[in-house]
């Protein structure tokens, strides 16, 4: 069942001079139509300036379409009465963990969303407990966010969104500012939410290795969807991805290069174990 | 350098003062300040001193830790003492050139020093035993009657708590920018005052730019989490008075009454 749908979505950033006249126009998203089903894990890939973050901000009514339309759980984001409902349905985690934690104690920050929604005190506590446990940050509930690592802060941000009980979580480059272990923590938490709680996840990233777990991948370039499909399907297009300044996971690249040299290796290898298995067969 | 500001810091431990309602502590500090200014004679100050000593003992904050915070205002106290000592007219007891110390000046200086030290220690106890979050909650609740006049009480409290949250982040950022500029040959501790002030420009400009960027990011994140002002908001930690808080109010009223009585009767 469809949860998020965009139809021919166009977004222009308009620069205005002092009098408010249009001075310049940059088209960030150019006719994107996509459809996200309930419970899916979607990845949106793209290099800098490909429009992926702009697209993300449309999905919970932070930005509004210049042309086309966005539907979240059957509600049009252009309808001013539905904005808060949409933001409760689709939660968003941003890139910089420092700039999205509001409170000075972890548990209070997680409670911020439910407080805004007008949830009764007792239920806020239940939600805070369950969401901090879901991301494995329950022991840190009394800590000050300043003392946490980047990955931990980002998990707190995710917990803050989960506490609002959204149907969908949009993660806008949540790992861009983290070290490798922090990245692993965050991606593991996102996958667990998708597997266990069946929350729809839309992960926006430019790291290839985060994409291989997705159900479907959209690759964006210059505001358009350049490639789409399952990770296996998308990573078959090694040359196209390279042309878009995107890397392919190392294993896939190795398999691709070996095949080019004439080894009998199938398309779409994403995991190291798969390649090892194939190579073992060949060597025998 | 920027990191050892202990004034206005929270000291984590478990005491009666830590557990009591922030509104009681805020009003208590206010009453204590009034008491300090009501006091005219030695008994008034003795009362304030005893109260302060009891509060320090109840707070379980080490006295050493409190005195460390006082160091940063030692200069202010010295200045006040010196000015009062030499500037108060009256019966001269010691003179050197044009400098004169008067009996009144001596008395005044001692009084001001005691007042300042007590005042700062008193408010220090409040900030040491109250988390910044509780403090802003308490302020919001105490000021809520002003909402009748459309005063933006919730907004002010929210601004305070966000400011407190971002102070360490911006401190760290200042440190980073300073080091980056120093690596490129800037110096911040050479030359006279004007040169030093000028050298701060390359520090302040990037700091402001980054602060504005952070503010815009934060506003976006707050909106994405459905923040729309104070109306219809519920509380995760609503403030509720306990019996001990009412007792504390009683003690505070008695303190105020005693200090007024001491001033009138003695």
């Amino acid at each position: 069942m469809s949860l998020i749908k965009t139809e021919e979505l166009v977004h222009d950033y308009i620069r205005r001079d002092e009098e408010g006249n249009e001075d310049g126009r940059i088209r960030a998203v150019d006719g994107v139509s996509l459809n996200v089903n309930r419970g899916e894990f979607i990845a949106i890939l793209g290099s800098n300036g490909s429009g992926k973050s702009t697209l993300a901000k449309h999905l919970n009514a932070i930005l509004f379409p210049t042309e086309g339309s966005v539907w979240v759980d059957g509600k049009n984001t252009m309808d001013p009465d539905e904005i808060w409902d949409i933001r409760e349905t689709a939660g968003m985690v941003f890139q910089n963990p420092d700039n999205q934690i509001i409170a000075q104690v972890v548990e209070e920050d997680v409670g911020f969303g439910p407080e805004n929604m007008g949830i009764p005190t007792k239920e806020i506590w239940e939600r805070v407990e369950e969401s901090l446990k879901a991301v494995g940050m329950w022991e840190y509930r009394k800590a000050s966010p300043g003392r946490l690592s980047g990955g931990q802060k980002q998990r707190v941000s995710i917990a803050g969104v989960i506490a609002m009980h959204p149907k969908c979580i949009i993660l806008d480059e949540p790992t861009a500012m983290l070290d490798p272990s922090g990245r692993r923590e965050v991606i593991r938490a996102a996958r667990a939410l998708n597997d266990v709680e069946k929350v729809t996840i839309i992960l926006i990233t430019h790291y290839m290795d985060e994409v291989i777990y997705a159900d479907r991948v959209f690759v964006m370039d210059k505001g358009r969807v350049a490639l789409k499909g399952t990770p296996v399907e998308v990573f078959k297009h090694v040359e196209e991805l390279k042309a878009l300044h995107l890397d392919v996971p190392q294993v896939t690249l190795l398999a691709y290069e070996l095949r080019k040299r004439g080894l009998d290796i199938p398309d779409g290898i994403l995991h190291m174990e798969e390649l090892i298995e194939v190579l073992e067969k060949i060597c025998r | 350098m920027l990191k050892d500001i202990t004034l206005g810091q929270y000291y984590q431990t478990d005491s009666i003062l830590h557990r009591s309602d922030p509104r009681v502590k805020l009003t208590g500090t206010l009453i204590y300040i009034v008491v300090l200014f009501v006091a005219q004679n030695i008994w008034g100050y003795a009362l304030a001193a005893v109260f302060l000593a009891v509060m320090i003992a109840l707070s379980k904050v080490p006295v050493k830790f409190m005195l460390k915070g006082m160091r940063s205002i030692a200069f202010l106290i010295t200045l006040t003492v010196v000015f009062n000592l030499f500037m108060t007219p009256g019966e001269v007891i010691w003179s050197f050139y044009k400098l004169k110390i008067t009996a009144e000046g001596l008395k005044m200086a001692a009084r001001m020093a005691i007042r300042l030290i007590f005042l700062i220690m008193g408010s220090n106890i409040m900030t040491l035993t109250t988390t910044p979050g509780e403090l802003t909650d308490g302020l919001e609740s105490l000021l809520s009657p002003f909402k009748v006049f459309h005063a933006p009480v919730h907004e002010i409290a929210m601004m305070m708590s966000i400011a407190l949250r971002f102070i360490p982040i911006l401190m760290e950022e200042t440190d980073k920018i300073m080091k980056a500029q120093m690596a490129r040959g800037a110096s911040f501790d050479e030359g006279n005052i004007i040169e030093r002030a000028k050298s701060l420009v390359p520090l302040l400009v990037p700091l402001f730019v980054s602060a504005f960027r952070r503010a815009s990011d934060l506003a976006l994140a707050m909106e994405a989490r459905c923040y729309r002002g104070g109306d219809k908001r519920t509380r995760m930690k609503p403030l509720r008075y306990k019996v001990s808080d009412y007792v504390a109010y009683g003690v505070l009223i008695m303190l105020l009454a005693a200090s007024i009585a001491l001033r009138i009767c003695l």
Side-chain angles (χ1 to χ4, degrees):
Chain A
M1 230 171 75
S2 167
L3 183 64
I4 292 180
K5 200 165 87 181
T6 72
E7 275 171 356
E8 289 302 315
L9 173 67
V10 173
H11 188 88
D12 289 343
Y13 284 109
I14 300 170
R15 204 171 55 219
R16 293 181 188 280
D17 59 16
E18 272 117 68
E19 279 97 48
N21 302 316
E22 195 176 314
D23 193 20
R25 203 174 248 263
I26 296 162
R27 185 150 289 195
V29 175
D30 188 8
V32 170
S33 299
L34 51 84
N35 195 357
V36 176
N37 296 321
R38 251 167 245 267
E40 271 189 305
F41 191 128
I42 299 286
I44 298 177
L45 262 175
S47 52
N48 290 336
S50 60
K52 57 190 192 304
S53 281
T54 309
L55 175 64
K57 290 192 178 96
H58 276 275
L59 305 184
N60 75 339
I62 290 176
L63 291 177
F64 304 103
T66 314
E67 285 167 39
S69 57
V70 179
W71 301 82
V72 178
D73 205 14
K75 298 178 185 95
N76 191 330
T77 58
M78 287 296 267
D79 185 349
D81 297 333
E82 307 275 27
I83 286 184
W84 302 109
D85 263 356
I86 288 171
R87 290 188 184 159
E88 283 174 25
T89 310
M92 184 129 177
V93 177
F94 296 87
Q95 187 181 96
N96 188 333
D98 278 326
N99 295 356
Q100 57 183 319
I101 295 181
I102 291 112
Q104 302 172 67
V105 184
V106 166
E107 59 180 14
E108 284 177 19
D109 187 72
V110 177
F112 181 76
E115 280 184 329
N116 290 335
M117 290 161 64
I119 308 289
T121 302
K122 201 176 145 246
E123 202 189 325
I124 295 180
W125 281 98
E126 289 163 11
R127 286 184 176 205
V128 167
E129 180 173 348
E130 104 202 347
S131 28
L132 277 173
K133 280 181 177 162
V135 295
M137 289 295 290
W138 177 241
E139 315 84 284
Y140 295 95
R141 63 189 178 276
K142 298 280 181 202
S144 147
R147 294 181 191 248
L148 303 178
S149 73
Q152 289 173 326
K153 279 186 219 171
Q154 213 52 311
R155 273 149 70 199
V156 171
S157 305
I158 294 174
V161 172
I162 304 170
M164 295 168 70
H165 286 182
K167 294 188 178 124
C168 167
I169 299 178
I170 302 148
L171 300 125
D172 185 2
E173 299 196 53
T175 56
M177 304 184 83
L178 306 182
D179 57 9
S181 75
R183 277 171 54 195
R184 269 195 299 277
E185 277 173 41
V186 170
I187 295 303
R188 202 179 297 136
R191 287 178 62 199
L193 281 177
N194 184 248
D195 281 350
V196 182
E197 319 270 338
K198 305 290 173 228
V199 184
T200 310
I201 303 273
I202 299 179
L203 174 69
I204 290 156
T205 183
H206 59 256
Y207 289 115
M208 293 299 137
D209 39 351
E210 293 174 0
V211 171
I212 50 179
Y213 308 109
D215 296 319
R216 283 193 296 148
V217 182
F218 293 88
V219 181
M220 290 200 56
D221 180 54
K222 300 194 184 86
R224 295 169 184 275
V225 175
L227 290 169
K228 62 178 174 184
T230 61
V232 176
E233 285 163 11
V234 166
F235 288 125
K236 278 178 190 167
H237 304 273
V238 176
E239 293 301 328
E240 284 99 320
L241 287 170
K242 275 187 178 168
L244 299 175
H245 304 290
L246 291 167
D247 296 322
V248 192
Q250 272 186 351
V251 182
T252 315
L253 189 65
L254 179 61
Y256 172 76
E257 293 291 339
L258 287 172
R259 191 170 61 245
K260 253 187 14 191
R261 295 290 168 91
L263 279 182
D264 178 28
I265 294 174
D267 263 347
I269 287 188
L270 299 180
H271 300 278
M272 211 194 322
E273 293 77 17
E274 287 177 65
L275 184 63
I276 291 170
E277 219 172 273
V278 172
L279 286 177
E280 272 176 347
K281 261 186 211 155
I282 291 171
C283 292
R284 261 181 234 135
Chain B
M1 161 188 100
L2 295 166
K3 275 178 190 138
D4 41 60
I5 302 172
T6 45
L7 208 67
Q9 217 178 45
Y10 178 66
Y11 184 89
Q12 189 160 18
T13 173
D14 188 39
S15 76
I16 304 175
L17 285 192
H18 282 79
R19 266 175 276 135
S20 68
D21 193 284
R23 288 170 291 183
V24 177
K25 285 184 268 189
L26 275 164
T27 357
T29 315
L30 210 65
I31 289 180
Y32 186 67
I33 292 171
V34 172
V35 165
L36 279 179
F37 283 90
V38 165
Q40 276 293 340
N41 47 38
I42 184 95
W43 298 110
Y45 288 115
L47 178 72
V50 169
F51 183 74
L52 188 67
V54 171
M55 285 304 128
I56 293 176
L58 283 179
S59 74
K60 289 191 189 162
V61 178
V63 180
K64 226 185 194 173
F65 191 82
M66 292 205 64
L67 292 178
K68 222 167 63 186
M70 298 297 291
R71 221 185 295 155
S72 54
I73 52 134
F75 176 71
L76 184 74
I77 294 171
T78 328
L79 202 73
T80 323
V81 167
V82 168
F83 266 92
N84 278 299
L85 209 55
F86 293 110
M87 303 301 234
T88 321
E91 187 194 332
V92 178
I93 48 171
W94 184 82
S95 71
F96 180 76
Y97 278 126
K98 280 178 181 169
L99 295 175
K100 292 189 284 283
I101 294 181
T102 61
E104 283 81 0
L106 210 59
K107 228 189 219 169
M108 194 67 173
R111 188 174 286 166
M112 286 313 283
I114 290 173
R115 253 184 208 168
L116 259 180
I117 292 170
F118 280 14
L119 193 139
I120 288 160
M121 281 191 116
S123 35
N124 238 354
I125 293 177
M126 176 187 67
T127 50
L128 284 167
T129 58
T130 319
T131 61
E134 284 176 335
L135 204 63
T136 43
D137 278 356
L139 259 181
E140 185 177 348
S141 159
L142 280 179
L143 293 178
S144 60
F146 291 100
K147 276 186 189 155
V148 180
F149 309 114
H150 298 286
V153 174
H154 167 77
E155 284 73 13
I156 291 171
M158 184 53 94
M159 274 156 62
M160 266 185 65
S161 81
I162 289 174
L164 286 167
R165 151 99 179 89
F166 276 86
I167 285 171
I169 292 178
L170 290 178
M171 290 270 203
E172 209 174 282
E173 185 123 30
T174 314
D175 215 45
K176 227 189 263 171
I177 298 171
M178 242 170 153
K179 279 183 185 136
Q181 307 284 36
M182 273 151 88
R184 282 179 264 161
S187 99
F188 295 101
D189 41 13
E190 270 172 37
N192 57 31
I193 289 188
I194 297 168
E195 278 167 6
R196 277 194 202 195
K198 271 189 186 158
S199 72
L200 284 181
V201 173
L203 178 69
L204 290 179
V205 172
L207 190 65
F208 267 86
V209 171
S210 126
F212 278 115
R213 188 167 300 141
R214 279 181 196 281
S216 128
D217 275 7
L218 186 74
L220 211 64
M222 284 170 77
E223 284 210 326
R225 282 162 81 183
C226 291
Y227 180 72
R228 57 201 123 162
D231 309 331
K232 284 194 239 161
R233 252 185 129 226
T234 44
R235 287 304 182 129
M236 181 182 178
K237 295 176 176 170
L239 295 173
R240 253 186 228 109
Y241 282 125
K242 296 180 289 278
V243 180
S244 58
D245 294 315
Y246 290 114
V247 175
Y249 271 132
V251 171
L252 286 169
I253 291 168
M254 268 153 58
L255 175 76
L256 187 64
S259 78
I260 294 172
L262 281 174
R263 176 168 177 160
I264 295 171
C265 303
L266 290 168

